[in-house]
Amino acid sequence: MGTAGKTFNAHVISATYHHKHVRLVAGDASDLRRGIGEILSRWGGLQMAVKNKWGGHDSLEKSQELAHHLFHLLSHPSNVITVDEIESFLHESLLLSFSTEMEDGSTEEVAEQLMILHEENCLHGSH
């Protein structure tokens, strides 16, 4: 039951999401990676999904893949991307990788933080 991947019960996070906004300045690729890692590590819903293995035994690897995909999405200053696209990417990734939907506003907040990080990376990358 559930191993075939055809049906699953989605985990829904609806608790209030409290997060301090951290202004991260990206100067190079390693700063961008670190910034993405910091934002994701502070995202309680994602950390809960990893800790409880909602994505299976490889939940940690799935969260690392998410960070990797976000890095590639955000690392090119020429990429024109919107906060809505980042939010959709996060939502889809959580649903597909962890069978999880966040209903606490955290996906939107994380997308906004990632967008700021992307914009800062673009500014510093254009020097």
Side-chain angles (χ1 to χ4, degrees):
M1 188 163 105
T3 58
K6 293 181 182 177
T7 60
F8 60 87
N9 293 324
H11 299 279
V12 178
I13 306 298
S14 59
T16 304
Y17 178 71
H18 296 285
H19 179 78
K20 288 188 175 185
H21 289 275
V22 178
R23 186 145 177 98
L24 299 165
V25 177
D28 61 19
S30 63
D31 288 339
L32 180 61
R33 264 187 220 282
R34 215 175 2 263
I36 292 168
E38 170 124 359
I39 290 168
L40 295 181
S41 73
R42 293 175 182 256
W43 189 7
L46 175 62
Q47 296 309 312
M48 188 183 307
V50 170
K51 180 181 178 184
N52 292 309
K53 299 189 185 308
W54 292 346
H57 69 283
D58 58 345
S59 290
L60 179 60
E61 290 81 7
K62 288 179 180 180
S63 72
Q64 292 167 342
E65 282 179 25
L66 174 60
H68 178 76
H69 290 300
L70 283 167
F71 174 77
H72 284 287
L73 184 67
L74 303 175
S75 64
H76 302 288
S78 61
N79 270 3
V80 177
I81 189 163
T82 67
V83 71
D84 290 334
E85 291 170 325
I86 296 171
E87 182 182 333
S88 293
F89 176 77
L90 292 171
H91 176 76
E92 183 177 319
S93 295
L94 288 173
L95 191 58
L96 294 175
S97 296
F98 298 99
S99 303
T100 303
E101 289 186 79
M102 303 291 170
E103 294 182 349
D104 60 356
S106 64
T107 305
E108 296 85 357
E109 194 167 333
V110 169
E112 289 170 10
Q113 292 172 7
L114 290 168
M115 185 70 190
I116 291 167
L117 188 64
H118 173 64
E119 289 169 348
E120 290 175 349
N121 187 60
C122 291
L123 287 174
H124 288 84
S126 63
H127 289 285

